[in-house]
Amino acid sequence: MKKSQGIFTLLVLIFGWSICKNYENRSYDWDLPGYIGSVLAAEFPGNFDKVHQLTFQSIKQEAPGSEFSNIISGNAARKSYYENSQSFSEQLPYYRVKVLFVAAIDFFYKLGFSLPKSVLVTNLTSCFLAGIFVFLILGHIFPQRVWLVFSLSLVIFLLPLFSDLAIAPNPDMFGFMVLLAFFYAYLKKYPLLLRFLLLVCLVLIRTDYLIFGLSYLFFELLVNYSKSKKVDFKIIGYSLILFAMYFSLIKFYHYPGWKDLFYDSFISRRNFISKQNPDFTWREYTNVAFGNLLNMKKVILSSSILMIASLYLGKKKEEKLFAILLFVNIYMKFFLFPAAGQFRFFFPFIILQLFWMFILMQRNLNNKFLKTVFGQ
């Protein structure tokens, strides 16, 4: 027991050191104004000029000159957001809809941090907690191998992408942390209500987690039906609540919609959303999606290997179905938003695939060498 506590303390100290290094290497990029503006828009509703002024003023006071220059003049659209308050305000619904992330930033802002630092502290806190959940998950998988859990936790936490997520001003690290909490709750067989509430949090952090939430509830519906031969209407009710919450967020924050997001991200970033329709053809979509799919080699290779390994190792239908669930979510996410260069979108699910493969190795693989290494 004392040995485990000592190792955990050492891990926490290393996590803390890494967090301090990430704080020193903090990043200021073009997403930052959107989240700062979202906090200020709630504080000064309807006062777009003031929100616009305070947003860029707060960033200019802290960001290095080169990074601030990239934020305000990286392209024609960014220049427009900096120079025109209406242009900037029309972009805010893309960010305000990420309610829980904006609320977390506002929380740290009210504690006395500056707005740019509030974004950073939200992500650094999420990064630390994500590391703790990685340790807890691995500890659940390998309960008799404390040093193996320590080593794997450290390797994952010190991955460059982990640090990149921690310092980038977007909700991906926050979402990853909650996703790990959800996975831990699933492994521990915590009540479905708790898992559902974590899915609600995920959708409030990033609305595109709706896909994962609904697909997981469908998975639970299938598993439950295979065991009881009855439809669990509670699960259907949870799915309807997620749907209703999603559409309420879209309506309340006047979110432009998927078509606008795709157009602005992959066709042409508009200076004013209200002055140009996001028109593109099915052919243009497929050109972007399948063209970017060719640049997904690392994601395709790693996710495919992990899924095939999990299907081989899995003995029960539930084990195989969960492996398929994780794999399919990577590609549903991609075809919704085919950003091949943004590995951060797929990294959380690949990490879960890795954990699931470890679990199935522990449960089902009859191999003396692996039992010696990983424990039984």
Side-chain angles (χ1 to χ4, degrees):
M1 185 68 179
K2 288 183 179 179
K3 180 181 177 182
S4 298
Q5 290 176 344
I7 289 175
F8 179 73
T9 302
L10 176 61
L11 196 68
V12 167
L13 290 174
I14 296 172
F15 285 178
W17 169 81
S18 178
I19 293 295
C20 290
K21 295 295 290 183
N22 287 334
Y23 180 83
E24 293 174 4
N25 297 324
R26 56 190 177 274
S27 172
Y28 299 84
D29 76 11
W30 60 273
D31 271 332
L32 186 59
Y35 294 112
I36 291 177
S38 296
V39 173
L40 292 171
E43 187 174 348
F44 305 105
N47 195 340
F48 300 128
D49 289 336
K50 187 169 187 177
V51 168
H52 179 259
Q53 178 189 354
L54 292 176
T55 295
F56 288 98
Q57 189 178 81
S58 67
I59 299 171
K60 188 175 184 179
Q61 288 172 351
E62 295 188 20
S66 59
E67 293 185 58
F68 182 71
S69 178
N70 184 53
I71 289 172
I72 65 172
S73 59
N75 54 44
R78 294 184 204 175
K79 187 176 180 181
S80 175
Y81 307 152
Y82 176 62
E83 294 176 349
N84 190 291
S85 61
Q86 181 188 343
S87 176
F88 177 66
S89 66
E90 288 184 3
Q91 292 294 312
L92 290 185
Y94 283 134
Y95 301 91
R96 295 190 70 188
V97 76
K98 297 164 186 177
V99 177
L100 204 55
F101 184 60
V102 174
I105 297 167
D106 189 45
F107 171 76
F108 287 110
Y109 177 50
K110 285 182 167 55
L111 285 181
F113 291 95
S114 68
L115 279 165
K117 283 192 174 66
S118 295
V119 179
L120 178 66
V121 171
T122 298
N123 278 344
L124 292 180
T125 304
S126 300
C127 180
F128 180 81
L129 293 175
I132 299 299
F133 277 117
V134 166
F135 177 80
L136 291 174
I137 290 167
L138 289 169
H140 176 83
I141 300 171
F142 307 117
Q144 305 302 321
R145 293 289 185 267
V146 179
W147 281 110
L148 177 65
V149 170
F150 171 83
S151 301
L152 288 174
S153 299
L154 203 56
V155 167
I156 292 172
F157 189 83
L158 295 179
L159 286 172
L161 191 57
F162 221 91
S163 294
D164 291 344
L165 288 175
I167 63 176
N170 58 57
D172 294 318
M173 177 53 82
F174 193 18
F176 182 31
M177 181 268 293
V178 176
L179 186 65
L180 288 169
F182 168 85
F183 187 69
Y184 183 68
Y186 173 72
L187 294 184
K188 299 290 284 185
K189 300 187 184 329
Y190 289 156
L192 183 60
L193 176 60
L194 175 60
R195 283 174 271 161
F196 168 70
L197 291 175
L198 289 169
L199 292 176
V200 168
C201 291
L202 283 171
V203 175
L204 289 174
I205 293 169
R206 286 190 69 103
T207 51
D208 54 2
Y209 270 115
L210 176 72
I211 298 170
F212 174 71
L214 293 176
S215 59
Y216 172 76
L217 290 172
F218 181 66
F219 159 79
E220 282 289 346
L221 193 68
L222 290 177
V223 171
N224 185 274
Y225 183 79
S226 69
K227 292 177 180 178
S228 65
K229 302 304 177 186
K230 294 179 181 178
V231 175
D232 190 337
F233 288 99
K234 178 175 62 179
I235 297 175
I236 295 175
Y238 287 157
S239 302
L240 293 174
I241 291 170
L242 276 188
F243 255 124
M245 187 181 73
Y246 172 80
F247 286 110
S248 297
L249 287 171
I250 297 300
K251 186 174 179 62
F252 184 80
Y253 289 105
H254 307 289
Y255 186 75
W258 174 82
K259 191 175 182 182
D260 291 80
L261 178 63
F262 184 88
Y263 186 90
D264 284 335
S265 301
F266 301 105
I267 306 297
S268 176
R269 193 79 180 189
R270 295 167 294 174
N271 295 356
F272 293 87
I273 291 177
S274 61
K275 295 182 180 180
Q276 183 182 346
N277 291 327
D279 295 326
F280 60 90
T281 64
W282 172 250
R283 184 182 182 86
E284 286 176 299
Y285 166 77
T286 54
N287 285 342
V288 170
F290 289 101
N292 286 349
L293 189 62
L294 296 175
N295 298 318
M296 287 267 289
K297 297 181 184 69
K298 291 181 181 178
V299 173
I300 292 171
L301 182 63
S302 55
S303 63
S304 298
I305 289 172
L306 291 169
M307 186 192 69
I308 291 168
S310 295
L311 291 177
Y312 172 77
L313 294 167
K315 302 300 181 186
K316 300 177 182 178
K317 287 182 180 178
E318 180 178 348
E319 294 172 344
K320 294 176 183 291
L321 275 174
F322 195 79
I324 293 170
L325 169 73
L326 296 176
F327 180 79
V328 167
N329 264 275
I330 291 173
Y331 294 95
M332 286 196 293
K333 196 175 184 73
F334 172 79
F335 283 107
L336 184 71
F337 192 79
Q342 300 292 330
F343 191 65
R344 61 188 172 93
F345 291 144
F346 317 108
F347 175 72
F349 289 108
I350 290 174
I351 289 294
L352 294 196
Q353 282 188 296
L354 178 66
F355 290 157
W356 191 241
M357 185 188 71
F358 285 159
I359 289 166
L360 298 181
M361 285 170 60
Q362 277 288 83
R363 287 180 186 172
N364 304 323
L365 193 60
N366 184 22
N367 184 294
K368 290 183 180 180
F369 172 75
L370 288 172
K371 285 180 180 178
T372 302
V373 175
F374 294 118
Q376 185 64 25

